Amino acid sequence: MDDVRQALAQTFIEVLERQAFMFAEPDPEPLGDSLTADYLQVTICFSGPVRGRLDLVAPKALGHGLTANILGASDQLTFDQAQDTLKELLNV
């Protein structure tokens, strides 16, 4: 893993721990192009002094777990709520 990816992975883990009260560790195996219906993919684009795009691919269960932890509710969570939660996490 190059330095930038390693820094992003570590930052993401810290955000998960602080914002969503979840623990994580990097997966040594890249996901590649083998996405299935069991995953959510979210994208945010940004511009300013630096322009770019961040993509996050996560298991649906993680999206719903994050949403439950952050919103404090686990009943009747929607697909849109899970996607919005992952986008907000990516934004942080």
Side-chain angles (χ1 to χ4, degrees):
M1 189 181 292
D2 66 3
D3 291 342
V4 172
R5 287 183 186 206
Q6 189 172 5
L8 284 172
Q10 186 58 40
T11 300
F12 184 73
I13 288 169
E14 289 175 19
V15 170
L16 274 176
E17 291 173 355
R18 292 180 184 163
Q19 184 172 347
F21 314 108
M22 299 180 98
F23 298 99
E25 58 185 56
D27 188 344
E29 296 294 322
L31 189 58
D33 294 329
S34 61
L35 290 180
T36 66
D38 296 330
Y39 289 89
L40 296 172
Q41 180 174 358
V42 295
T43 302
I44 60 170
C45 298
F46 55 92
S47 61
V50 176
R51 274 182 33 182
R53 169 184 160 158
L54 289 172
D55 292 290
L56 173 64
V57 176
K60 281 184 180 178
L62 175 64
H64 288 285
L66 285 169
T67 304
N69 283 5
I70 291 172
L71 295 180
S74 59
D75 294 338
Q76 310 261 335
L77 296 176
T78 67
F79 175 79
D80 288 339
Q81 286 174 311
Q83 280 195 311
D84 287 345
T85 301
L86 288 173
K87 285 180 184 178
E88 183 58 33
L89 193 67
L90 189 57
N91 187 49
V92 172

